[in-house]
Amino acid sequence: MTSPRFLTAAVAAMLVLAAASRGDAADEITRKGSAAPLRGEITEFSRTEVTIKTGLRANQRDEKVPVNVIARIEWDGEPSKLSLNRNAEAAGRYGEAIKGYGEALAEVPGENARLQTDVTFLIARATARQALVDPPKLDDAIAKLEAFRSANSNHFRHFEATSLLGELYLAKRDFIKAAPIFQQLEQAPWNDYKMAAKNAGGRLNLLNDKPEAAQADFDSVLAIDATSPGEVAERLQALLGKATALQRLGQPAEAQQEIERVIEQADNNDSETLAEAYVRLGDSLQAQNKPQEALVAYLHVDVIPKLARESQHHSEALLHLSNLWNAVSRPDRAGEARDLLMSRYPTSDAARKLSAPAAGSE
Amino acid sequence: MATKHRCVWLATLALAGHAAASRAADLHLELVEGLRSRGYHDTAVVYLDQIENDARVSQDVRTVIPFERAVTLLQSARSLGPEARREPLDRAQAQFEAFTRANPDHPLSARANTERARILLENARLGIWQARSPANKGQEQPFRDEARALIARARTVFQTAHDQHKAAWEQFGVFIPETERQKIEARKQAEIAYMQTQMDLAMCTYEEAQTHPRDSAEFKRLLTRAAEDFEAIHEKYRSIVVGLYARMWQAKCFEEQGGREGLGRALGIYNELLGHPGDSQTMQILKGHVRHFWCICQNQRNESQLVIQAADEWVKNNRVWLRTPFGIGIRWELVQALEAYAQDRTLAAKDKERLLRQALGEAEAISRIAGQYRDVAAFAVPRIKVALNIDPGDPRDFDTALGRGRTMIKPGIFDRQQAIDAERAGQKRADELAALERDLADHLRETGRVLELAVNLSDSKTDPRHLLEAHYLLAYVHYLQDRAFEAGVLAEFVGRKFREADPEFALKSAYLSMAAWTKVYNASPQPEDDRTFEVDRIIRACQLVTGFWPQSEEAQGARIQLGRIFSRREQPAEAARWYSEVPESAEQYAEAQLAAGQAWWNAYLKAAARRDDAGDAEQPAPEQLDEWQRSAEGHLKVGIARVEAATPKDQESPVDLIAGKVTMAQILVNRGEYDAAVKLLKTEPHAPEQAIQVKQGETRPKSGIKSPAFASLVYQLFLRSYVGTKNIDEALRVMEQLERAVPEGDDGTAVTAIYIKLGRELQNEIERLRASPSGNRLTEVLASFEEFLSALTAQRERMNYSALIWIAETWYYLAEGIGSGNLRAQDYYGRAAETYQDILGRPQGFVPGGKDLGVKLRLVNCRRSQGEYQQALELVGEVLAGQPMALQAQIEAAQVLQSWGESGEPEAHKHLREAIQGRDIGTQKKAVWGWAGIVRMLANRPEYREQSLQARYNSAVCRRQYGLEQSSGAKGKAELEHARTELEMFARVSGPEQLGDEWWKKFEGMYHTLQRDLNQATTPLPRPVRHQPRPLSAVGSMDLAARPAGTSARLMAGSRPRAAAAVPVKSTSPVLVILGLLVAAGGAGGIVFWMVQSQKRSRRPRLMSSAIAPAFTPPAMTADPSRSSRTAAPAARRKPAVADDESRPSTTAGPAPAPGGGARTRRSGQPPASG
């Protein structure tokens, strides 16, 4: 028979454990590829790692988490709406997220500088993502990220900010500024960031109409052994880049093969890669004069909600759908796609292309 | 006089189409027009830029390039929203101006002026819209001023154009002899242009009125003037469409003047126009505009219920016009009426909500469409939301959203579907049913939104199984909404990518994708042969199921489905393999065995029919053919035994069983085992001979084993067997039964068709036997037929028309079967011709009315096959003298000339040129059109696509042969180069998508041959210039009301009787129809197979019954499976239910899989187990 005293002690122990696991100081780090977050107190951070004190009070230990594996950080005492706004950002509702972050920032007490800085970054990040589908906002987004980087050069968001900044310069076709930014990214101590920098180099070459050079860049990434989730994701990006290069070189069927590999290998949650892959697949199928198959490829990005969050790819997919629905005798659906593009992404490149009059001389 | 002639000539050139200036011009401008018609405006502009400075392009073409560029920009602009439209319109205007400035006397100058003015007027309309936009309240005046200035400029240009067009029209004078068709056509076009400018001027006045405030005196004064102008036009042209448009605008002017009187007069005219009997497309568009104005009028009279009823009905019946300006206008009026009616205090809260929800849905849709109503609709959306008191807060986490989504499906969707079911069963009023259906549609839309929200709220902590469920449910909602593409894409993605998260759910999803792609297939407007893409998607989904879940019950359904698909694709061996894979343990084993047997047999027949094609690399070896025949027999035996054992003797014979037996009888007939075939067909229980009987006096059903088609098939097998055993008495008796089984109508066409088909089957059989290593059977069969036919021929005096046709056709096909070079074949052709001549020589009335033509053409065909070309030509000339526009006769004439040209007779090659260009016969000028003439005549006649393509191809064949026959190398080379260029230009505007793979390959093959003849490197046949995807101009080009004179052809069409078409739309000769069918049917193989194919072509093809839908049950509903299967059924019924016999290729002649095409439906509505 179990003694009542033992029972009482066991219950008490469980309560203590529960409290500890929730954490007295409940900062929370979610790592890529891991469902179980680390809870505790973030005690310090640098460009490359974040230190969190976890465990029971009696057995606390510092865990150093490399920045490249961090998927998300939630702070102790953060305004409750912050989490909702992170979801809005992830869902591509950038305007809502930016507004919400701003309101949350106003609620953060002045003494909580760490949280204030992070929310400032979140605003810059959401602005940057918004600008990628709303080019008139590019300058504002660049200014915010530049300001963040210069004020927080040793922050754990540094490399993420650098990467985003490079993307913005690419979108602005300011290759002169983009190139050194990606070189800085290559200085990161992790393979996935190095791979990302090389991939960016490949994209730069694509934008400069040098598909052979781009293919070489992407091949150099593919030569790297990829094991971590971040590395695998970059490897897939390289495959996509290579497919684009192949397509530019007039080899759409080969491009299609590479893209189908990406779709097969990509993680279900890697919506960015999948969305881009389906758009590229549609491109290669169009180049092979298979409009109906291309329609289905693009439609993935419109129909699968997580892929439709990827605004840039979604707008591009809608641009094509607004034409390709006609291939299956559905002009009404072509019109719907067009309306959605014009109403959801009115200032995107895709909308601009849709509205642009036919090119030609006078 | 000379000046007058010049003017007429210029007008003719301009109005009949400047593209006719030269062949080179034809090609360049044809290409541009082709690009424009496909919406490739940017590519068209690029092409025009390219040729503008190309010295090889004629000056005629280069002169009109600014004009063509402007037309292209104009069309491009019409596909854009108002904001984006301005720039291309301005550029188009600049191009028109440049053109008229440089070529003031050019015949196109008047049209350029008109177009310029229309652009000005269009820009003025944009200003008027902006002045009325709620967003510009208080800032209207600048927009109004600008619009008024633009209208004034437009009027000046229109007036100039009006005078020019009037002068051009008057130049033609009153009388033109009927023989001068081109001139008559040109005068008609000139009159249209003149009418258009009259309308344009009146529209200027109307639009000018719109630039003034509605309560101003100027507004009313201008409207009155416009109404008078429109009335004058209506008086002049009341019997044609332009007059009706003028009438409509006159009413519009009354309506806008307001007051009871104004509205009453307007409504009177609108009702008069809506009651017009015309239903051509032109009239539908006109009525669409009128309905729009009618709704505006009724809303002003506060008759919101009337508007709701009329607009709802219009929306339901005119989905194709929903996005046109008048379609959007009607929908906007509907929104206003719904909102107004919802204010009625006597309404129940539920009804009020339903009205507002519908209004919200429409307003949201309109607010996304660029145009006049976007702004006002966008303003309405929040207003309606407030009235609905909705959006208090969407779920903020995944679990809540998913939970809400589940509830919205069950009971939400299920209850609504049940209510609709009950309403249908009770045969309630159509409007009540429509209201429920609308409610369901709104609810489905909202459910989809919530589920999408759920997915978007998921994060890394979300249970993957729940995430999968949310995706699955969303796909299911898409499916119910008839958004089958979306359902297919999403369900397939989930089935493929999430299979590790929850295999069972992923399987459901994969199976749902099968159903969704099948729905896409069934809904496709493409002809069945052009649905490769849809079929590929179904195959992909089926293979997903069979690949990852091979043992599942769903996989068996998928295998049957794959078998069916490959049968339809005429890949019977592949079909047979899939059927054969259904394991013995599966419920569908017996039916799969029967289907496999039939498929193997079809594979055998198909391959055997190709045996004379020596170069066919895919030709199976003889051993393989034997193996297929054995497999067919083996599977059929198993299937027949299984089904027979499971069917009580006194029960009605199952379709599958009878079809299996009939196929088996075919195998026996093919082997010459005629007695065994007769025994199988006669032996009870479940004898096909009995199964096809109907009670005396009873009409045979249209489908199934008692149908005329199936019964005749059985009698044909009997007939074939009795011919084989030379049993003339039994054969004649069976022929009588056959004639009784097939409804004759007045003309005996059906039986004739069967006899002709039997002849063709015989040809196939002869060809197979010719290819067979053993020649004995061929000799035996030929002897048998010859003896039989000779005996019949001896008795021909007492035979009717159908029987004689059979004799003639059988001789003919016997000859075809053994090959025209053979002496025996020549004898048979002669006997066929003799029989046709006998038919034609019978007393009047012997040949059913209108069929002489067909018989004569068959006689021509025989003479041609005999090499008696002169006689054949004279015969066809006689036909053409009586019916110069008979397409089939024209084709036969060209064919005679081609065959003659290819005959190798001295100087015969000149007939090749005649075959292309046509020739005179006797005093008839150009009595024979030739292949090129046929192509021209069939331009823009999609119903004659095949004939047109064949004519184009034959033209190339003839030209090549003619080139090769030339003694002069340069001349020959020029002909070859001409043929090559023609193909290239044709391909540039057509492409494989339009032509289909088969035709594209054929043309490309000819292109390569020509390149080799010319010692050129072979290159792929150029495809249409690749374009950057741009929107098609579907909406803009229909905007007749906004541009009342914009589409000239439509204005002349409609109420005035159409001018005689150049080519008869339909041949009046049923024999011709039969012959056409024969050509279409091809010669793939056996009788059962032929029947399947012919049915396939005659019905709307469906691969899988939509009864599959009830089998899909969302996981949350498994607690009450009986209910779920019941309630899912309406979804399947929203589309017309798919009859079982339509869903299966083999219904009448082969095994019959379960209705619903799979394992599930056998279990009478039991949903699949779900997690």
Side-chain angles (χ1 to χ4, degrees):
Chain A
M1 188 176 171
T2 312
S3 112
R5 282 185 64 190
F6 176 78
L7 265 179
T8 309
V11 170
M14 283 170 70
L15 287 172
V16 169
L17 272 171
S21 67
R22 202 172 57 243
D24 292 333
D27 296 330
E28 188 175 296
I29 298 177
T30 305
R31 289 162 297 178
K32 291 173 187 166
S34 169
L38 291 171
R39 293 194 182 89
E41 183 187 0
I42 293 176
T43 51
E44 59 179 339
F45 55 73
S46 68
R47 278 184 179 198
T48 56
E49 62 188 21
V50 175
T51 306
I52 184 167
K53 196 182 282 293
T54 61
L56 297 172
R57 282 185 187 176
N59 193 22
Q60 278 187 330
R61 63 179 183 278
D62 285 342
E63 282 207 41
K64 292 188 183 304
V65 185
V67 163
N68 69 321
V69 304
I70 295 174
R72 182 165 174 153
I73 290 184
E74 290 174 48
W75 300 92
D76 179 36
E78 69 177 31
S80 57
K81 65 174 62 164
L82 207 50
S83 183
L84 288 175
N85 293 314
R86 285 192 192 99
N87 285 341
E89 185 191 347
R93 303 194 304 273
Y94 303 121
E96 182 186 330
I98 293 165
K99 184 164 173 268
Y101 286 145
E103 288 166 6
L105 185 59
E107 289 177 25
V108 177
E111 62 272 20
N112 195 343
R114 280 192 323 190
L115 181 54
Q116 276 190 333
T117 307
D118 202 30
V119 177
T120 304
F121 171 77
L122 294 179
I123 292 171
R125 185 175 71 183
T127 309
R129 286 176 173 171
Q130 186 183 40
L132 289 172
V133 283
D134 192 357
K137 295 190 166 70
L138 279 170
D139 288 337
D140 177 41
I142 288 171
K144 282 191 166 76
L145 279 174
E146 290 279 24
F148 178 85
R149 269 172 28 107
S150 57
N152 303 280
S153 57
N154 201 32
H155 197 271
F156 68 92
R157 298 287 192 180
H158 173 80
F159 284 114
E160 191 180 354
T162 304
S163 173
L164 268 174
L165 189 60
E167 296 295 333
L168 294 176
Y169 280 126
L170 272 190
K172 209 181 163 192
R173 302 183 78 84
D174 187 342
F175 307 141
I176 294 173
K177 285 194 176 154
I181 294 285
F182 288 121
Q183 278 167 10
Q184 288 176 37
L185 196 63
E186 212 165 349
Q187 305 309 312
W190 316 288
N191 258 351
D192 51 352
Y193 273 64
K194 289 182 194 299
M195 290 163 86
K198 280 192 202 304
N199 278 333
R203 291 203 331 267
L204 259 172
N205 276 323
L206 281 176
L207 287 167
N208 279 319
D209 207 15
K210 295 176 185 168
E212 291 92 347
Q215 191 180 347
D217 286 333
F218 296 123
D219 278 335
S220 74
V221 176
L222 294 172
I224 299 170
D225 190 24
T227 50
S228 74
E231 290 162 359
V232 171
E234 287 306 325
R235 183 183 163 74
L236 295 177
Q237 283 296 318
L239 275 173
L240 280 178
K242 184 178 178 182
T244 310
L246 284 169
Q247 182 134 333
R248 297 272 182 86
L249 292 166
Q251 301 170 44
E254 290 77 2
Q256 183 187 342
Q257 282 180 3
E258 299 291 355
I259 299 163
E260 282 171 347
R261 279 171 63 198
V262 174
I263 291 172
E264 184 60 34
Q265 292 171 20
D267 187 272
N268 294 342
N269 293 315
D270 188 356
S271 51
E272 187 182 353
T273 301
L274 280 169
E276 186 179 352
Y278 279 112
V279 171
R280 297 295 150 250
L281 181 62
D283 295 347
S284 76
L285 289 165
Q286 282 211 91
Q288 293 172 72
N289 207 21
K290 296 178 179 172
Q292 293 164 314
E293 285 83 349
L295 165 81
V296 169
Y298 293 123
L299 197 56
H300 279 79
V301 189
D302 189 33
V303 164
I304 298 163
K306 281 208 163 185
L307 306 196
R309 291 175 182 182
E310 301 300 328
S311 313
Q312 198 175 354
H313 303 307
H314 189 209
S315 60
E316 199 175 339
L318 287 171
L319 172 68
H320 294 295
L321 288 172
S322 67
N323 184 45
L324 287 171
W325 273 113
N326 293 304
V328 291
S329 307
R330 294 301 304 264
D332 54 330
R333 308 301 303 278
E336 279 182 25
R338 178 187 157 80
D339 294 342
L340 186 57
L341 172 59
M342 299 307 280
S343 59
R344 192 176 290 181
Y345 311 108
T347 53
S348 64
D349 277 351
R352 196 168 45 77
K353 280 180 194 162
L354 188 67
S355 300
S361 60
E362 283 175 25
Chain B
M1 187 68 182
T3 313
K4 185 175 175 184
H5 273 296
R6 186 169 166 268
C7 186
V8 170
W9 179 83
L10 286 173
T12 305
L13 179 65
L15 298 165
H18 55 283
S22 68
R23 192 164 60 221
D26 262 348
L27 294 175
H28 291 299
L29 299 179
E30 200 179 311
L31 174 59
V32 171
E33 183 52 41
L35 292 168
R36 278 199 298 247
S37 70
R38 286 162 182 76
Y40 304 165
H41 301 112
D42 45 359
T43 312
V45 171
V46 169
Y47 184 73
L48 288 167
D49 290 347
Q50 280 174 1
I51 61 171
E52 189 167 29
N53 298 315
D54 188 337
R56 290 170 300 176
V57 177
S58 75
Q59 190 55 46
D60 283 350
V61 173
R62 284 192 282 163
T63 301
V64 298
I65 281 177
F67 178 85
E68 292 294 335
R69 194 182 284 125
V71 169
T72 311
L73 287 162
L74 191 59
Q75 289 187 8
S76 159
R78 285 175 182 156
S79 65
L80 303 173
E83 298 86 350
R85 222 180 257 189
R86 266 238 157 112
E87 192 191 342
L89 285 179
D90 290 345
R91 288 175 58 200
Q93 200 196 351
Q95 290 288 302
F96 279 130
E97 265 181 26
F99 175 76
T100 48
R101 209 171 33 247
N103 309 280
D105 297 326
H106 195 279
L108 288 171
S109 179
R111 194 178 144 200
N113 268 331
T114 311
E115 295 293 352
R116 264 178 66 205
R118 290 206 183 110
I119 292 171
L120 290 167
L121 197 57
E122 199 147 334
N123 279 335
R125 279 195 195 102
L126 293 177
I128 293 168
W129 292 354
Q130 283 171 316
R132 289 185 183 160
S133 168
N136 295 320
K137 200 161 184 202
Q139 300 162 17
E140 301 90 344
Q141 203 51 45
F143 291 114
R144 285 179 176 152
D145 292 343
E146 189 195 353
R148 208 171 299 140
L150 286 166
I151 291 167
R153 282 176 62 198
R155 181 178 283 116
T156 307
V157 185
F158 275 138
Q159 193 60 55
T160 308
H162 172 270
D163 298 345
Q164 286 173 323
H165 287 310
K166 187 172 182 231
W169 175 61
E170 286 172 351
Q171 291 286 351
F172 286 99
V174 179
F175 176 73
I176 301 175
E178 270 188 28
T179 48
E180 294 185 40
R181 289 186 186 173
Q182 261 196 327
K183 202 170 161 187
I184 291 173
E185 175 63 19
R187 183 179 64 178
K188 191 176 90 180
Q189 296 296 332
E191 190 182 5
I192 291 172
Y194 172 45
M195 287 188 292
Q196 283 176 351
T197 46
Q198 291 175 65
M199 277 295 283
D200 288 332
L201 284 168
M203 283 308 294
C204 282
T205 310
Y206 170 81
E207 296 293 358
E208 193 183 343
Q210 308 301 316
T211 64
H212 294 280
R214 283 181 177 260
D215 53 358
S216 67
E218 195 58 10
F219 177 74
K220 290 200 171 151
R221 186 187 69 77
L222 285 165
L223 277 184
T224 307
R225 210 183 95 199
E228 287 163 6
D229 290 349
F230 285 126
E231 187 176 11
I233 297 170
H234 175 241
E235 283 300 313
K236 273 164 79 178
Y237 307 112
R238 59 170 60 233
S239 63
I240 55 176
V241 173
V242 69
L244 300 180
Y245 267 100
R247 183 82 167 139
M248 177 185 83
W249 283 106
Q250 183 192 1
K252 185 73 181 147
C253 294
F254 292 148
E255 172 212 311
E256 292 188 3
Q257 287 178 53
R260 269 182 71 178
E261 190 195 339
L263 292 176
R265 288 176 76 187
L267 268 178
I269 294 175
Y270 292 150
N271 286 330
E272 164 200 316
L273 291 170
L274 289 170
H276 192 286
D279 64 348
S280 63
Q281 186 171 331
T282 311
M283 285 305 292
Q284 285 178 39
I285 294 171
L286 170 70
K287 287 181 182 180
H289 288 299
V290 176
R291 179 58 74 193
H292 175 208
F293 295 163
W294 181 93
C295 289
I296 292 173
C297 219
Q298 295 290 18
N299 267 339
Q300 285 186 48
R301 300 172 73 225
N302 298 320
E303 294 284 2
S304 44
Q305 284 191 68
L306 278 179
V307 175
I308 292 170
Q309 195 178 348
D312 262 345
E313 191 183 330
W314 188 90
V315 165
K316 195 173 159 191
N317 297 326
N318 294 279
R319 305 211 75 82
V320 69
W321 306 117
L322 285 186
R323 298 173 55 79
T324 57
F326 58 84
I328 300 165
I330 291 171
R331 292 160 72 192
W332 171 241
E333 294 305 318
L334 175 61
V335 170
Q336 294 188 96
L338 288 162
E339 268 195 277
Y341 189 37
Q343 305 297 319
D344 187 336
R345 287 165 189 265
T346 61
L347 278 180
K350 195 177 163 193
D351 291 333
K352 184 176 172 178
E353 185 186 334
R354 189 187 291 167
L355 292 167
L356 288 172
R357 280 205 180 279
Q358 190 189 349
L360 180 61
E362 285 291 351
E364 282 178 336
I366 297 168
S367 70
R368 286 194 290 270
I369 303 172
Q372 188 178 1
Y373 297 99
R374 183 162 77 177
D375 283 0
V376 284
F379 273 77
V381 168
R383 184 176 69 225
I384 302 170
K385 278 187 172 174
V386 168
L388 271 167
N389 193 25
I390 61 170
D391 208 16
D394 275 329
R396 295 194 159 235
D397 63 88
F398 172 83
D399 290 332
T400 312
L402 177 61
R404 190 183 288 183
R406 283 177 184 147
T407 315
M408 292 176 82
I409 290 176
K410 186 184 175 183
I413 291 174
F414 280 28
D415 284 355
R416 283 170 172 79
Q417 286 180 330
Q418 273 190 331
I420 290 171
D421 269 355
E423 200 76 14
R424 283 202 181 111
Q427 295 184 322
K428 293 283 179 59
R429 283 174 42 189
D431 57 342
E432 288 174 15
L433 184 63
L436 288 172
E437 284 176 339
R438 256 197 328 267
D439 181 44
L440 174 63
D442 291 342
H443 184 76
L444 281 169
R445 194 171 50 232
E446 181 62 9
T447 309
R449 192 187 70 81
V450 169
L451 287 166
E452 228 176 276
L453 181 66
V455 177
N456 279 328
L457 287 169
S458 68
D459 55 27
S460 58
K461 297 169 199 165
T462 305
D463 183 336
R465 287 170 305 171
H466 289 165
L467 187 57
L468 169 54
E469 180 188 345
H471 279 103
Y472 172 73
L473 292 178
L474 183 56
Y476 181 71
V477 169
H478 284 316
Y479 183 85
L480 294 180
Q481 287 178 301
D482 280 339
R483 295 173 83 93
F485 269 92
E486 282 83 346
V489 164
L490 185 53
E492 191 179 322
F493 178 80
V494 172
R496 209 174 280 282
K497 294 289 286 180
F498 284 73
R499 61 180 185 273
E500 282 164 12
D502 188 335
E504 198 178 332
F505 238 134
L507 168 60
K508 279 174 196 301
S509 211
Y511 201 62
L512 175 59
S513 76
M514 255 175 71
W517 289 119
T518 304
K519 208 171 193 179
V520 169
Y521 175 92
N522 286 337
S524 170
Q526 298 296 326
E528 190 188 6
D529 292 344
D530 294 342
R531 295 188 204 172
T532 316
F533 157 76
E534 289 85 349
V535 173
D536 283 345
R537 297 312 304 188
I538 303 174
I539 292 174
R540 207 177 131 96
C542 288
Q543 288 177 339
L544 176 65
V545 174
T546 56
F548 288 117
W549 300 275
Q551 304 304 322
S552 67
E553 200 176 344
E554 286 84 352
Q556 311 321 328
R559 288 188 176 108
I560 298 265
Q561 177 72 338
L562 283 165
R564 221 175 273 160
I565 290 167
F566 285 109
S567 286
R568 278 191 177 280
R569 279 194 155 183
E570 297 181 14
Q571 292 173 254
E574 189 64 19
R577 282 184 200 103
W578 283 107
Y579 286 131
S580 306
E581 274 191 19
V582 175
E584 196 171 351
S585 57
E587 200 173 354
Q588 310 97 318
Y589 177 66
E591 73 185 57
Q593 286 290 304
L594 286 170
Q598 174 147 333
W600 284 123
W601 173 238
N602 286 338
Y604 166 82
L605 290 175
K606 189 176 178 192
R610 283 164 41 186
R611 282 198 63 97
D612 58 341
D613 189 353
D616 190 345
E618 294 171 17
Q619 175 59 47
E623 305 77 48
Q624 176 86 83
L625 288 182
D626 289 345
E627 175 59 32
W628 286 355
Q629 188 169 185
R630 275 197 301 279
S631 294
E633 202 173 344
H635 285 292
L636 283 170
K637 274 183 181 164
V638 172
I640 289 170
R642 289 257 180 165
V643 178
E644 204 157 48
T647 312
K649 289 180 184 175
D650 54 351
Q651 190 177 306
E652 194 175 345
S653 302
V655 170
D656 305 9
L657 177 61
I658 298 302
K661 283 187 174 185
V662 171
T663 305
M664 191 73 188
Q666 263 197 292
I667 295 174
L668 294 169
V669 165
N670 188 60
R671 283 212 300 255
E673 296 177 25
Y674 303 120
D675 291 329
V678 170
K679 189 178 170 193
L680 180 64
L681 293 170
K682 279 177 168 293
T683 306
E684 289 288 3
H686 306 303
E689 188 185 34
Q690 279 308 309
I692 60 171
Q693 300 303 325
V694 290
K695 289 177 189 156
Q696 202 164 7
E698 197 174 276
T699 310
R700 287 187 176 275
K702 284 187 180 166
S703 59
I705 55 174
K706 292 186 190 300
S707 65
F710 194 82
S712 81
L713 168 61
V714 174
Y715 287 126
Q716 287 164 48
L717 282 171
F718 274 123
L719 181 58
R720 182 68 190 82
S721 300
Y722 292 135
V723 171
T725 55
K726 297 168 201 163
N727 189 340
I728 291 179
D729 289 342
E730 279 299 307
L732 287 172
R733 188 184 61 78
V734 167
M735 282 172 81
E736 279 174 21
Q737 287 179 313
L738 180 58
E739 291 185 20
R740 275 203 301 275
V742 180
E744 273 304 301
D746 295 331
D747 56 9
T749 310
V751 173
T752 309
I754 288 168
Y755 288 154
I756 292 173
K757 185 163 61 66
L758 269 174
R760 198 174 179 85
E761 282 306 313
L762 178 62
Q763 177 194 344
N764 291 338
E765 187 174 341
I766 300 292
E767 284 171 355
R768 281 198 300 277
L769 291 171
R770 265 177 65 203
S772 163
S774 157
N776 293 342
R777 277 281 295 144
L778 175 63
T779 313
E780 193 184 311
V781 169
L782 280 178
S784 162
F785 265 95
E786 203 172 319
E787 188 181 336
F788 184 79
L789 285 174
S790 298
L792 275 181
T793 307
Q795 302 179 33
R796 68 185 182 196
E797 283 308 314
R798 65 187 178 94
M799 288 188 178
N800 63 11
Y801 167 77
S802 302
L804 284 182
I805 285 286
W806 184 61
I807 293 172
E809 287 299 313
T810 310
W811 284 123
Y812 178 80
Y813 283 114
L814 272 179
E816 290 279 287
I818 52 181
S820 57
N822 189 302
L823 275 179
R824 202 170 183 175
Q826 291 300 312
D827 178 35
Y828 290 169
Y829 281 131
R831 293 199 199 200
E834 196 183 318
T835 314
Y836 282 124
Q837 268 179 332
D838 180 10
I839 294 170
L840 290 170
R842 295 293 180 107
Q844 201 172 7
F846 181 78
V847 180
K851 290 188 183 51
D852 299 40
L853 173 65
V855 177
K856 279 181 190 163
L857 290 182
R858 295 302 283 163
L859 181 56
V860 170
N861 201 10
C862 287
R863 292 300 182 216
R864 177 168 61 82
S865 301
Q866 286 178 285
E868 293 176 12
Y869 304 112
Q870 184 61 47
Q871 204 181 342
L873 198 61
E874 283 166 12
L875 276 167
V876 79
E878 284 172 26
V879 172
L880 289 173
Q883 291 178 265
M885 310 300 271
L887 175 61
Q888 196 61 37
Q890 288 291 354
I891 289 173
E892 191 57 56
Q895 192 63 63
V896 168
L897 289 167
Q898 180 174 346
S899 300
W900 198 349
E902 291 168 344
S903 66
E905 289 179 9
E907 293 301 306
H909 70 278
K910 68 180 184 189
H911 297 301
L912 289 167
R913 199 168 181 80
E914 292 171 349
I916 302 168
Q917 296 180 344
R919 59 168 278 176
D920 305 339
I921 296 185
T923 55
Q924 294 171 254
K925 295 286 173 200
K926 282 281 178 192
V928 177
W929 296 343
W931 296 125
I934 291 171
V935 168
R936 268 197 308 278
M937 288 301 209
L938 300 184
N940 302 318
R941 303 293 296 267
E943 67 273 34
Y944 293 112
R945 175 181 175 273
E946 283 298 306
Q947 289 95 326
S948 174
L949 290 173
Q950 186 65 54
R952 195 178 281 274
Y953 181 79
N954 286 349
S955 178
V957 170
C958 289
R959 195 175 292 286
R960 172 178 179 263
Q961 194 58 38
Y962 184 71
L964 294 175
E965 298 273 352
Q966 292 303 307
S967 51
S968 148
K971 210 171 164 189
K973 196 176 169 191
E975 287 293 337
L976 294 171
E977 185 58 38
H978 185 166
R980 192 197 65 77
T981 311
E982 270 191 343
L983 281 185
E984 183 174 324
M985 295 307 279
F986 173 61
R988 278 190 189 279
V989 292
S990 301
E993 284 162 51
Q994 276 74 38
L995 298 185
D997 282 348
E998 205 173 312
W999 274 111
W1000 182 261
K1001 277 182 195 160
K1002 212 167 162 180
F1003 280 111
E1004 191 164 59
M1006 173 53 66
Y1007 186 68
H1008 289 163
T1009 304
L1010 287 162
Q1011 285 180 319
R1012 281 193 292 271
D1013 292 340
L1014 287 160
N1015 289 324
Q1016 296 172 350
T1018 53
T1019 53
L1021 187 56
R1023 290 164 187 259
V1025 186
R1026 181 147 160 62
H1027 74 291
Q1028 288 303 308
R1030 292 187 52 79
L1032 297 178
S1033 53
V1035 175
S1037 62
M1038 291 169 189
D1039 189 2
L1040 249 182
R1043 287 172 286 108
T1047 43
S1048 56
R1050 285 190 194 134
L1051 289 173
M1052 283 298 280
S1055 56
R1056 189 181 260 183
R1058 283 186 185 177
V1063 176
V1065 175
K1066 285 179 185 166
S1067 165
T1068 51
S1069 163
V1071 174
L1072 279 184
V1073 175
I1074 293 165
L1075 299 179
L1077 272 176
L1078 274 172
V1079 173
I1087 293 170
V1088 174
F1089 193 63
W1090 187 90
M1091 279 189 65
V1092 168
Q1093 297 309 307
S1094 62
Q1095 285 194 343
K1096 186 176 77 177
R1097 286 178 170 86
S1098 64
R1099 286 181 178 158
R1100 183 162 177 75
R1102 294 192 175 242
L1103 271 180
M1104 186 162 69
S1105 165
S1106 64
I1108 198 166
F1112 291 102
T1113 310
M1117 291 109 221
T1118 50
D1120 185 1
S1122 60
R1123 184 174 181 196
S1124 64
S1125 66
R1126 259 199 327 271
T1127 51
R1133 285 200 289 273
R1134 268 204 299 283
K1135 284 267 174 196
V1138 180
D1140 290 344
D1141 59 338
E1142 286 182 326
S1143 68
R1144 301 187 294 259
S1146 314
T1147 302
T1148 53
R1160 304 196 159 283
T1161 50
R1162 283 266 162 170
R1163 296 190 302 163
S1164 61
Q1166 289 291 315
S1170 55

